[in-house]
């Protein structure tokens, strides 16, 4: 019944694909169809449960879904959703620098986000170093620190070291003629004003949240910083 | 599996009518997924799109490459190591903390994206492309954004597609060889041997996890087997093995294409459905806010002008949600799908300029175009071809497309008879 031809015919209606193969190979082809069908279904099912809101199914199989999706199929498509960010979050930093004469000096706050914003303005293709580095590092830091500024788990520690290195990359090891010994960061959150055409009024006063001082070690200095 | 038993000739049917129809449908569907590469133009254009997006990104970031992914990045090698030790993400950059290794990987990633977009030795270059994307992105995961995320996923999916059947150097070589049978030039085996040596090195130094090792070795062995079976088919006339490889590759391709399409739908569905729950998307002001964020306003004056019109902000806000939620369902209607696709591409172009996210937008457009109609792609291809020929002053027939897979009849104009005959031959 199965066609025994090695060179399939070209007439319309002639078997194509697996149907044109000898039985032995058709069985292998059938297995391939089955495997790919199962693989694609499992993959799409896992990704669906990963991107969907928590539901009865995904709560039950939490561990299996995470094990499948992380790290390579992780995804998040809540783009500007449920609500877009409605506040400008700026990261400020200052330092205590040690002078050669033994004196110390605390610098003023430097608005690092404003420097990024300056670089982005008028730039048709902003670099990830301008648009993502500090912005996402601060997000990362916030997600893995409690309200008292204490790191949560290993990622909390990583995020703090990362932030230190970003600040030190921008400050450089020397500032105001002295060596940077400690740094402090704070966030300055300013809500975006309501649109002029809307009735709504939004308080646009800036709220600050200051982190403790952090000691700077040589490992916090990215190579090339200030050089 | 039942299709092995399904007779191919309707005359042999003895069972009831409904069953026959169901079975006939099944056997026709199976013949399509096993016997043809569905969406050859769409996958080609997705390949070109993602190759281009990642290439432009790497070139744009070239001056910043060390700060983003280098051993002395702000996200230092040591920080990356600690994170990857805990989440087991794949990155060949963790094999060595030397500057030389980093530079080598970055520049190979550039070459891989050029090779992918040109469709040069695509079975190999798509794997190198994926390795480049994953290695760089996973090395410094906090440098990325949504655009990187799309490229990351598609780089993996593209490995499993036969995305170089058209508009590629591979296709051109296949056309040139078609008249005189397959070519057994030395380039293929040499590249294969080099890849084998690289794999061996990576395996012995413990660079691959079990899963990645199996995948890479599997892909490598499949390439070797394919070459051997194609050669056997050409020299002995026994095509069984080659045909089987062809069928398995078709099935993999069609499965990966389905995954790509559903992935795009999932992106829009989640983006839309989460937005519906947001008060700003409900009150029609959402679009106003990102335009006033310092990180997403490269042209504040332009944003100011556009955001000053309350009605327009509302229309765009509601329109965005409507499009994103509706998109998966419009696939049921060709015309509605095409209109929506055009609108989404325009919206992404707007996002590219207004929010300063050109690489994100490019990646999203590269994903969108998997749904472009074949007729439009073929037409664009012919135009591009004509333009290129005019620019290079070649003889008009020198590069005429032949052996192209036939566009799907439903969305293509009546095919040129000569081309259709060629297409039939190409299908074997």
């Amino acid at each position: 019944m199965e066609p025994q031809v090695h060179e399939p015919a070209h007439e319309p209606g002639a078997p194509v694909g697996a149907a044109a193969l000898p039985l032995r190979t058709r069985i292998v082809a059938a297995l391939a169809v089955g495997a790919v069908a199962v693989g694609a279904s499992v993959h799409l099912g896992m990704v669906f449960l990963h991107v969907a809101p928590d539901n009865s199914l995904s709560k039950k199989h939490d561990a299996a879904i995470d094990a499948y999706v992380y790290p390579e199929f992780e995804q998040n498509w809540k783009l500007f959703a449920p609500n877009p960010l409605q506040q400008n979050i700026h990261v400020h930093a200052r330092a205590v620098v040690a002078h050669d004469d033994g004196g110390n000096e605390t610098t003023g706050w430097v608005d690092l986000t404003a420097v990024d914003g300056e670089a982005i303005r008028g730039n048709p293709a902003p670099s990830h170093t301008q648009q993502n580095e500090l912005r996402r590092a601060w997000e990362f830091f916030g997600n893995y620190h409690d309200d008292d500024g204490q790191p949560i788990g290993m990622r909390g520690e990583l995020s703090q070291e990362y932030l230190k290195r970003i600040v030190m990359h921008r400050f450089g090891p020397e500032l105001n003629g002295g060596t940077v010994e400690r740094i402090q960061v704070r966030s300055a959150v300013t809500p975006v004003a309501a649109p002029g055409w809307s009735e709504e009024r939004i308080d646009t006063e800036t709220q600050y949240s200051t982190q403790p001082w952090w000691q700077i070690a040589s490992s916090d200095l990215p190579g090339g910083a200030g050089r | 599996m039942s299709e092995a038993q399904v007779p191919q000739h309707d005359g042999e049917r003895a069972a009831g009518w409904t069953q026959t129809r169901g079975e006939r449908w099944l056997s026709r569907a199976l013949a399509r997924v096993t016997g043809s590469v569905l969406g050859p133009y769409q996958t080609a254009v997705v390949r070109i799109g993602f190759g281009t997006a990642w290439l432009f990104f790497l070139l744009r970031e070239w001056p910043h490459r060390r700060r983003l992914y280098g051993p002395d990045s702000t996200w230092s090698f040591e920080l990356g190591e600690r994170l990857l030790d805990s989440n087991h993400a794949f990155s060949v950059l963790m094999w060595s903390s030397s500057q030389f290794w980093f530079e080598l990987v970055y520049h190979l990633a550039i070459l891989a994206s050029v090779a992918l977009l040109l469709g040069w030795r695509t079975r190999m270059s798509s794997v190198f492309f994926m390795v480049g994307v994953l290695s760089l992105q996973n090395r410094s995961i906090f440098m990325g954004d949504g655009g990187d995320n799309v490229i990351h996923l598609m780089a993996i999916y593209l490995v499993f597609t036969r995305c170089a059947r058209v508009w590629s150097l591979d296709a051109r070589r296949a056309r040139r060889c078609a008249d005189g049978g397959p070519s057994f030039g030395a380039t293929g085996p040499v590249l294969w041997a080099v890849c084998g040596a690289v794999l061996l090195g990576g395996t012995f130094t413990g660079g691959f996890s079990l899963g990645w090792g199996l995948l890479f070795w599997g892909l490598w062995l499949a390439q070797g087997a394919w070459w051997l079976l194609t050669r056997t088919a050409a020299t002995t006339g026994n095509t069984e093995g080659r045909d089987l490889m062809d069928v398995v590759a078709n099935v993999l391709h069609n499965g990966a294409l389905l995954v790509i399409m559903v992935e795009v739908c999932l992106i829009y569905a989640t983006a839309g459905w989460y937005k519906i729950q947001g008060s700003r998307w409900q009150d029609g002001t959402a679009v106003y806010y990102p335009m006033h964020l310092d990180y997403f306003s490269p042209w504040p004056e332009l944003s100011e002008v556009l955001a000053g019109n309350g009605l327009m902000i509302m229309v765009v806000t509601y329109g965005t949600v409507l499009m994103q939620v509706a998109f998966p369902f419009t696939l049921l209607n060709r015309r509605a799908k095409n209109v929506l696709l055009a609108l989404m591409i325009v919206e992404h172009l707007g996002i590219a300029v207004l929010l300063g996210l050109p690489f994100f937008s490019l990646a999203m457009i590269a994903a969108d175009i998997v749904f472009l109609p074949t007729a439009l792609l073929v037409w664009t291809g012919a135009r591009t071809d004509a333009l290129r020929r005019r620019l290079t002053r070649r003889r008009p027939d020198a590069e005429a497309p032949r052996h192209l897979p036939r566009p799907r009849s439903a969305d293509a104009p009546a095919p040129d008879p000569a081309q259709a005959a060629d297409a039939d031959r190409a299908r074997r």
Side-chain angles (χ1 to χ4, degrees):
Chain A
M1 195 180 277
E2 86 276 0
Q4 284 296 347
V5 282
H6 285 274
E7 280 297 339
H10 297 293
E11 285 78 39
V16 289
L21 299 171
L23 181 62
R24 195 162 34 133
T25 35
R26 270 164 74 180
I27 292 170
V28 182
L31 289 175
V33 173
V36 169
V38 170
S41 308
V42 168
H43 176 77
L44 291 172
M46 289 291 190
V47 170
F48 172 79
L49 291 174
H50 171 63
V51 296
D54 279 347
N55 54 58
S56 49
L57 196 61
S58 62
K59 278 182 205 151
K60 200 170 148 192
H61 301 288
D62 203 20
I65 296 166
D66 283 357
Y68 180 84
V69 163
Y70 292 100
E72 306 301 351
F73 297 117
E74 181 186 3
Q75 45 200 295
N76 175 7
W77 308 117
K78 293 178 193 170
L79 308 168
F80 299 114
N83 273 326
L85 189 63
Q86 294 158 59
Q87 48 200 19
N88 274 301
I89 303 172
H90 281 220
V91 179
H92 297 182
R94 63 176 176 177
V96 169
V97 298
H99 291 288
D100 290 341
D101 58 10
N104 276 351
E105 178 203 342
T106 306
T107 69
W109 288 105
V110 181
D111 187 342
L112 300 177
T113 303
V115 179
D116 282 345
E118 202 59 51
I120 289 168
R121 213 153 306 136
N123 188 343
S127 162
H128 276 14
T129 56
Q130 297 152 351
Q131 208 169 26
N132 292 351
E133 186 187 62
L134 182 59
R135 181 176 66 87
R136 290 215 52 207
W138 186 254
E139 255 174 41
F140 179 37
F141 181 86
N143 289 341
Y144 288 93
H145 277 74
D146 60 22
D147 294 339
D148 304 324
Q150 289 306 306
I152 304 169
M154 182 203 64
R155 287 183 177 224
E157 290 163 24
L158 292 182
S159 67
Q160 189 169 316
E161 286 175 44
Y162 184 31
L163 205 55
K164 273 200 234 174
R165 285 176 63 90
I166 291 175
V167 173
M168 287 313 291
H169 183 270
R170 295 175 186 217
F171 275 175
E174 306 271 315
L175 207 61
N176 293 4
T179 312
V180 177
E181 291 199 321
R182 287 181 293 159
I183 59 163
Q184 189 176 35
V185 295
R186 69 174 183 187
S187 64
V189 178
T190 316
V192 173
W197 34 265
S198 126
E199 307 272 293
E200 208 181 329
R201 288 290 161 261
I202 296 173
D203 184 2
T204 57
E205 203 191 325
T206 305
Q207 301 284 337
Y208 297 94
S209 157
T210 311
Q211 298 298 317
W213 285 95
W214 294 330
Q215 202 68 38
I216 293 302
S218 62
S219 65
D220 300 318
L221 299 172
R227 268 176 238 158
Chain B
M1 288 293 285
S2 62
E3 95 275 14
Q5 275 76 47
V6 175
Q8 294 306 313
H9 303 293
D10 299 340
E12 295 173 28
R13 293 304 310 170
W17 180 78
T18 21
Q19 198 192 359
T20 315
R21 204 162 72 154
E23 283 192 16
R24 218 190 292 151
W25 179 87
L26 183 69
S27 93
R28 216 177 303 146
L30 279 169
R32 282 193 79 180
V33 296
T34 57
S36 60
V37 171
L38 298 175
Y41 295 94
Q42 284 80 0
T43 33
V45 86
V46 168
R47 160 179 62 80
I48 295 167
F50 280 100
T52 310
W54 186 241
L55 173 66
F56 282 5
F57 172 76
L58 292 179
L59 293 179
R60 193 270 168 264
E61 297 292 9
W62 195 83
H64 305 291
R65 66 190 186 285
R66 292 177 186 177
R67 182 162 148 205
L68 287 172
Y69 309 114
D72 221 7
S73 151
T74 42
W75 179 252
S76 69
F77 187 84
E78 192 244 331
L79 290 175
E81 209 166 32
R82 279 159 67 190
L83 185 68
L84 294 197
D85 276 346
S86 76
N87 72 3
H88 308 294
F90 174 72
S91 176
V92 299
L93 282 175
M94 303 321 290
W95 290 3
S96 158
S97 61
S98 79
Q99 186 71 32
F100 172 78
W101 176 241
F102 161 70
E103 297 287 354
L104 185 70
V105 171
Y106 193 92
H107 291 93
L108 279 178
I110 292 178
L111 289 182
S113 34
V114 173
L116 185 77
L117 87 90
L118 294 177
W120 181 75
R121 305 280 167 179
T122 316
R123 291 280 51 84
M124 179 193 73
S125 59
S126 64
V127 177
F128 275 94
F129 180 78
M130 175 186 75
V131 170
V133 169
L134 266 53
S135 295
L136 290 168
Q137 290 187 358
N138 288 340
R139 164 70 183 78
S140 305
I141 196 70
F142 298 108
M143 296 287 186
D145 54 32
D148 295 272
N149 204 166
V150 185
I151 295 175
H152 187 112
L153 295 170
M154 293 299 175
I156 300 174
Y157 298 156
L158 275 173
V159 167
F160 299 98
T161 61
R162 305 183 81 172
C163 53
R165 301 311 294 279
V166 296
W167 297 336
S168 69
L169 294 179
D170 285 352
R172 190 176 71 171
R173 196 176 56 248
R175 274 199 311 271
R176 286 177 177 170
C177 295
D179 306 318
S183 136
F184 295 106
T187 319
V190 167
L191 287 174
W192 187 72
V194 170
C195 291
V198 171
L199 270 180
L200 214 56
T203 308
F204 274 115
T205 54
F208 302 123
S209 66
L210 180 67
W212 284 110
L214 284 175
L215 176 72
F216 290 134
W217 280 112
L219 290 169
W220 183 77
L221 286 173
Q223 280 313 297
W226 195 310
W227 183 86
L228 211 63
L229 292 169
T230 309
R231 197 182 163 90
T232 308
T235 50
T236 69
N238 178 0
T239 63
E240 188 183 334
R242 185 197 62 190
D243 290 348
L244 177 68
M245 291 295 277
D246 203 45
V247 165
V248 173
N250 287 343
V251 173
L252 262 178
H253 163 93
N254 292 325
L257 177 60
L258 177 76
V259 168
I260 290 176
M261 290 172 140
V262 176
E263 178 72 61
V264 177
C265 290
L266 281 177
I267 291 177
Y268 286 124
T270 30
W273 288 42
Y274 280 108
K275 282 188 178 78
I276 285 188
Q277 305 166 29
S279 55
R280 289 302 181 196
W281 294 97
Q282 291 168 6
D283 72 15
T285 60
V287 170
Y288 164 88
Y289 290 96
M291 287 171 19
H292 288 79
L293 296 178
D294 297 336
Y295 274 114
F296 301 105
S297 47
W299 319 104
E301 298 81 11
L302 185 61
S303 297
E304 205 59 56
V305 171
L306 293 173
N309 187 332
L311 180 66
M312 203 181 68
I313 290 289
M314 202 196 95
V315 168
V316 176
T317 301
Y318 273 28
T320 301
V321 177
L322 207 68
M323 282 196 299
Q324 292 188 336
V325 172
F327 184 73
F329 303 101
T330 63
L331 297 180
L332 298 171
N333 181 292
R334 195 178 298 275
R335 200 171 299 173
K337 178 261 294 177
N338 289 340
V339 170
L340 217 57
L341 206 52
L343 286 173
M344 293 190 127
I345 291 174
V346 169
E347 176 157 29
H348 280 132
L349 290 175
I351 288 174
V353 177
L354 270 180
L355 301 187
L357 293 167
F359 301 109
F360 165 79
S361 300
L362 204 53
M364 290 309 295
I365 291 172
D368 290 340
I369 55 185
V370 76
F371 291 110
L372 281 183
T374 306
L376 175 69
L377 291 172
V378 172
W379 180 84
T380 314
R383 286 291 122 138
T384 315
D385 225 35
L387 185 72
R388 195 193 58 195
R389 242 181 278 124
R390 195 138 30 108
L391 290 178
T392 55
R393 292 165 194 278
R394 293 243 180 100
R395 280 184 302 119
D397 59 339
E399 287 290 318
R402 295 154 61 206
H403 300 289
L404 295 184
R406 183 160 43 182
R408 267 172 48 207
S409 52
D411 48 5
D416 173 307
Q419 189 181 317
D422 274 336
D424 272 342
R425 215 177 320 138
R427 284 162 174 236
R428 275 194 292 104

